[in-house]
Amino acid sequence: MGRVSKAQAQENRQHVVATASRMFREKGTVVSIADLMKAVGLTHGAFYKQFASKEDLVDKAIAHAFEDPTAHSPVTLDEHTGEHEAARRTLIENYLSIWHRDHAGDGCPVSGFAADLGRDPDQAARSQQVYINGVRNRAARLATGDDDGMAQLCTMVGALVLARATRGNPLSGELLQAARTALTENGTGQSDRSNARIDREPAGPDGTRRCGS
């Protein structure tokens, strides 16, 4: 086999990173180098000509995922330029969709990498700034008035993770619908003070909630 040109080597490297980014979001960073390179169509040995270690690849895969403006939706928000509320609702609907639940590999890296970074402090430390910037940028797209969008993003990510964990059960769709309704009908998903007060009351041993006077 002839020597690979620099251009081809760079193309192969980008292909590995893009494929790893999808596979890691779908299956976790437990994906082996052997399985990854098989999916790419390259030899196992070719990996170490491109990357110092698997950790190095994970760093690049995470960065790649956050650079993709269409991650979590096959539809971009450009059509809503200048209409923030319409763009916000589009983002919520697409994020909390069955499509996004079932396509983690092409989905949002905030939810896609959260579990792996939470389990691996070293990886989290290396990728922290990229991840934090990604979280803040996505929250900013949800911001409305005095709301910075953080609570909305937390609602969306949490609902998506739960929906994926319960996929195959009707509860999965119910979780997505509940979050969509909370975020679109109420604007920011924040309850009014009276309801919030009741919701925060802890449940007693019999499952009932204590309401203060």
Side-chain angles (χ1 to χ4, degrees), residues 147-174:
D147 175 25
D148 63 5
M150 283 294 182
Q152 296 181 67
L153 181 63
C154 289
T155 298
M156 289 164 57
V157 172
L160 181 64
V161 170
L162 290 172
R164 285 174 176 166
T166 55
R167 184 165 45 188
N169 187 282
L171 177 62
S172 180
E174 292 171 16

Side-chain angles (χ1 to χ4, degrees), residues 21-149:
S21 183
R22 290 194 301 273
M23 291 183 73
F24 290 160
R25 276 177 281 175
E26 181 179 4
K27 301 178 180 180
T29 56
V30 294
V31 171
S32 68
I33 293 175
D35 287 343
L36 169 63
M37 297 306 283
K38 181 179 179 181
V40 173
L42 296 174
T43 65
H44 187 285
F47 175 85
Y48 292 101
K49 295 180 181 178
Q50 299 282 356
F51 306 94
S53 64
K54 182 179 179 181
E55 291 73 21
D56 178 36
L57 173 61
V58 174
D59 292 345
K60 291 177 172 57
I62 292 174
H64 174 83
F66 277 106
E67 290 168 359
D68 182 1
T70 63
H72 76 63
S73 170
V75 180
T76 67
L77 300 184
D78 292 342
E79 61 196 72
H80 295 300
T81 300
E83 301 177 18
H84 180 73
E85 181 56 23
R88 173 183 165 276
R89 286 176 174 269
T90 296
L91 174 58
I92 292 169
E93 292 291 338
N94 288 335
Y95 200 101
L96 296 171
S97 66
I98 297 299
W99 183 93
H100 192 198
R101 182 198 67 185
D102 295 343
H103 293 79
D106 295 309
C108 174
V110 173
S111 55
F113 289 107
D116 283 310
L117 293 180
R119 285 190 292 262
D120 188 343
D122 292 336
Q123 185 70 58
R126 290 193 303 273
S127 305
Q128 187 177 70
Q129 198 55 55
V130 169
Y131 192 83
I132 288 175
N133 288 340
V135 168
R136 292 191 182 283
N137 288 339
R138 277 157 176 73
R141 297 168 71 186
L142 295 162
T144 55
D146 294 333
D147 175 25
D148 63 5

